[in-house]
Amino acid sequence: MRFAQVIGQEIIKERMIHGVRVGRIPHAQLILGAEGSGNLALALAYVQYILCNQPSETDSCGECSSCKKVSALIHPDVHFSFPFPKKAGEMEQCSDVYPQWRTALQEDPYLNYEDWMQQLNAENKQGNIPTKELRNIIKNISLKSYEGKMKVCLIWLPEYLGQEGNILLKSLEEPPEQTLFLLVGSDLDAILGTILSRTQLVRVAPIDDASLSLALQTRESIAADDAQRLAKVAQGNYRLARDLGKEAGNPHLDAWRIWMTICFRRKMGEAFQWSDDTASLGREGVKSFLLYGIQVLRTCAVLPYTGSEGLWEGPELDFVNKFNTLQLGEGVIGQMVTVLEKAFYGVERNGNAKVLLMDATYGLIQAISKKN
Ligand SMILES: [Zn+2]
């Protein structure tokens, strides 16, 4: 993958390229960015640039043998580790599921953990990076590089390293020469502190609206107006924007309107039906919906200060404006966001979506009742 194929993120690209050109490549880095920000895509472009035989001042060449191997995910000096559900005799180390990994990553470098689990048909099983794989990493970096340049160990989602991740500490601290550890994650709080303290943090911001909108137009053939609207709704998350773009209109907005009516009018009878309907979206759908709700609320909170300029447009903006006439106040909105975040993490950790949505409904009603 070339930097040109990564959506937006110009500042980080420049910083990475500059670092390589002046020979400053910290040996252990954590590339941290929210889902949909493209942190994995950036890491791939960075690796390709580092290993490219004829890099320009702005990108890898994309043509040399090294670039071709990196982009085909078959470069012998690039080792990938990632979570997967262990299964004795079948799936014990990353190489056992490498063909699936290649397919998933080549199809979509903006994939998330759930997409990957789906690729493995393991949606409800918990993945992790097992000890056997960690020993492979250590063995692998002790070998000489095949092509004479750097050896790269890319660990996707270090959040899934349990205590056994401490096996890597010594390697992270003092790796063999010409070895680069790239950890690519999203949730700082879920990564072992011992690992964090041994890596240099590279923060990846959400994708800017203009780049996101352009990507939706060119990659997803979404009309310019819709693309601009979706880019604002998704707030830097390409994966979410793309998903929302696949639907006609915005079904999340309709579901959200119904939910708010239920909460404000305390129509508990309807809440059961609504939770049932919404839970039928599946885990990913419910997560995407909750994320959308959080974004609606956050926009409501900032709108009185910023005005609508540069914020949402069309039906979303109408809704937010109407919602704000309720004058909930920042405290109440903050509590509502907390309720949604709690539900989001519950769903992410395989909780029962219907129960969590009902819980969240009670939580929202309680938060709203504190309105002065
Ligand atoms: Zn090249």
Side-chain angles (χ1 to χ4, degrees), residues 20 30 99-100 107 117 124 180 220 267 280 288 298 310 347:
V20 177
L30 169 60
Q100 292 96 314
E107 269 173 18
M117 288 297 120
N124 289 317
L180 169 62
E220 303 292 320
K267 295 178 163 183
S280 72
S288 156
R298 289 205 175 127
V347 175

Side-chain angles (χ1 to χ4, degrees), residues 92-112:
E92 297 187 325
Q93 51 194 344
C94 291
S95 56
D96 295 333
V97 284
Y98 199 71
Q100 292 96 314
W101 170 251
R102 274 188 71 200
T103 308
L105 196 51
Q106 285 185 315
E107 269 173 18
D108 182 18
Y110 287 81
L111 85 173
N112 69 5

Side-chain angles (χ1 to χ4, degrees), residues 48-49 51-55 60-68:
Q48 184 162 320
Y49 190 74
L51 297 177
C52 176
N53 295 326
Q54 43 201 12
S60 54
C61 75
E63 298 290 329
C64 70
S65 65
S66 177
C67 279
K68 283 186 174 150

Side-chain angles (χ1 to χ4, degrees), residues 26 45 78 87-88 90 162 171 185 202 217 264 267 283 292 308 314 318 344 350:
V78 184
K87 197 170 174 193
E90 289 178 40
S171 305
V202 180
Q217 293 170 55
F264 278 90
K267 295 178 163 183
R283 194 143 62 102
Y292 176 76
S308 63
D318 291 345
F344 180 91
N350 271 331

Side-chain angles (χ1 to χ4, degrees), residues 51 65-80 98-99 101-102 106 146-147:
L51 297 177
S65 65
S66 177
C67 279
K68 283 186 174 150
K69 283 182 222 167
V70 174
S71 62
L73 305 171
I74 52 168
H75 197 294
D77 291 325
V78 184
H79 181 92
F80 287 94
Y98 199 71
W101 170 251
R102 274 188 71 200
Q106 285 185 315
Y146 285 90
E147 310 220 332

Side-chain angles (χ1 to χ4, degrees), residues 24 51 56 73 76 95 133 145 148 176 181 233 256 286 296 337 340 351:
R24 206 168 46 230
L51 297 177
S56 76
L73 305 171
S95 56
E133 175 60 24
S145 121
F181 274 100
V233 171
W256 179 255
V286 174
V296 171
V337 169
L340 296 193

Side-chain angles (χ1 to χ4, degrees), residues 26-31 43-44 46-47 50 152-156 180-184:
H27 68 256
Q29 305 179 38
L30 169 60
I31 304 186
L44 291 171
Y46 184 42
V47 171
I50 290 171
V152 180
C153 176
L154 193 155
I155 303 178
W156 184 53
L180 169 62
F181 274 100
L182 280 184
L183 281 60
V184 181

